[in-house]
Amino acid sequence: MPPDDAADQKLTDARPTTRSDDAASTERTIGRHRAFGAPRRALLRSTPVRVALATGVTCCLGLVGVAAARGSDDTPRTVEPLAEAVADRAAIADQRASRSLDRDVAPARVLPSPTVKPTPTPSVTRKAPKKPVKPRRPRPVAGLDQAQMDNAKIIVDVGLEMKMPRRALVVALSTAMQESNLYNLASEVLPESAEYPNQGSGSDHDSVGLFQQRPSSGWGTVAELMRPSYAARAFYAALNEIPGWQDMSVTAAAQSVQISAYPDAYAQHEDRATTVTAALTT
């Protein structure tokens, strides 16, 4: 048995002289004031843990804000700026969440397109082409009918075009009155002449037209001589070749061109020819 003397009994040091390397035993030895070592820092670096801590802090701040709002009127509100901002963001989130997800999209405003007025096309009034005005037919004089007066006008117009004097017009009209009575005649001897416009026929050899000119004598072709304007031109051209015809009588001047078997016959038509010339030149 050990001695009962207290002095002999020595207190045993319960604290170990060497520190255990066991982390758990170290924490038990140190107690609540243990130091945080490397394992804690590694834990904080974990992303899930950091998110959880942030969420917890937010929730705590929210509770603090609610508790402060529910306090008595005498207790001053001590809501921190961060908690107030979190509460505002939560309220905004609640409002957004309360909206319907099926809400209709507001129709886009359609601006009316400007109305472009068509440029009026100036109306163009097309005038109908004027019908060619037929030359006014001369009124018959001196006992002539309309056909005779029309032929007389052709003879006078050709003479004026050729700058022939007035006396030449009377000579030409007197000659045509004697030869054909101022009708454009074909010839029974030349059936070809009947193929052209005519106002009757004669039988004096191959004589045709107003002046009864003969194709065989070189006056021209049948077709040419059956045209009153050509026949009149041929007569005036032949009259101009007679020297001094201006001083001759109508009968002498006409006979010099026609070489007729009845040279005195032309004189009887001089008065009527003068009357017709006056009517067509005034």
Side-chain angles (χ1 to χ4, degrees):
M1 290 204 40
D4 296 330
D5 190 1
D8 294 338
Q9 296 180 357
K10 296 181 180 179
L11 295 175
T12 303
D13 191 0
R15 184 176 297 177
T17 59
T18 61
R19 299 181 65 179
S20 174
D21 295 333
D22 187 5
S25 63
T26 303
E27 291 176 358
R28 285 193 301 271
T29 302
I30 297 175
R32 62 181 296 185
H33 299 290
R34 61 183 180 276
F36 292 95
R40 183 182 179 186
R41 288 194 298 271
L43 182 62
L44 290 176
R45 292 175 182 173
S46 175
T47 300
V49 174
R50 295 174 66 182
V51 172
L53 289 175
T55 305
V57 172
T58 303
C59 293
C60 291
L61 292 176
L63 293 175
V64 171
V66 173
R70 291 182 178 180
S72 62
D73 296 336
D74 298 333
T75 304
R77 298 179 64 184
T78 58
V79 180
E80 297 180 0
L82 180 59
E84 186 176 355
V86 172
D88 292 341
R89 292 176 64 85
I92 294 174
D94 291 341
Q95 292 177 3
R96 290 179 179 175
S98 65
R99 295 178 182 175
S100 174
L101 297 177
D102 298 333
R103 60 185 180 276
D104 296 332
V105 179
R109 183 181 179 187
V110 180
L111 296 177
S113 58
T115 303
V116 180
K117 295 182 179 181
T119 303
T121 303
S123 58
V124 179
T125 304
R126 294 185 178 181
K127 296 182 179 180
K130 295 182 178 179
K131 295 181 179 180
V133 179
K134 293 182 179 180
R136 184 178 179 181
R137 301 181 73 177
R139 185 174 61 86
V141 294
L144 303 179
D145 60 23
Q146 190 64 58
Q148 291 172 310
M149 195 68 183
D150 291 341
N151 290 332
K153 184 176 187 308
I154 293 174
I155 295 172
V156 170
D157 288 345
V158 171
L160 295 176
E161 182 183 348
M162 294 178 67
K163 310 297 182 183
M164 299 298 290
R166 188 182 187 90
R167 182 147 180 93
L169 306 181
V170 175
V171 172
L173 287 176
S174 299
T175 303
M177 289 177 180
Q178 174 60 33
E179 298 290 349
S180 65
N181 198 20
L182 281 175
Y183 289 117
N184 190 30
L185 301 178
S187 175
E188 296 178 357
V189 178
L190 294 175
E192 177 189 353
S193 61
E195 298 176 3
Y196 304 100
N198 62 83
Q199 296 164 331
S201 62
S203 58
D204 184 8
H205 303 290
D206 58 346
S207 300
V208 294
L210 289 176
F211 294 90
Q212 291 291 287
Q213 295 156 329
R214 302 178 62 178
S216 60
S217 298
W219 285 95
T221 64
V222 175
E224 291 172 339
L225 296 176
M226 287 298 295
R227 295 205 314 267
S229 60
Y230 177 88
R233 190 175 299 275
F235 178 85
Y236 287 124
L239 181 62
N240 270 334
E241 293 179 0
I242 305 299
W245 70 265
Q246 295 89 345
D247 300 328
M248 296 180 181
S249 63
V250 170
T251 298
Q255 177 61 19
S256 298
V257 175
Q258 296 296 109
I259 313 298
S260 173
Y262 306 96
D264 297 330
Y266 301 108
Q268 62 181 330
H269 304 290
E270 184 175 352
D271 291 340
R272 285 201 309 162
T274 302
T275 302
V276 172
T277 300
L280 293 174
T281 56
T282 56

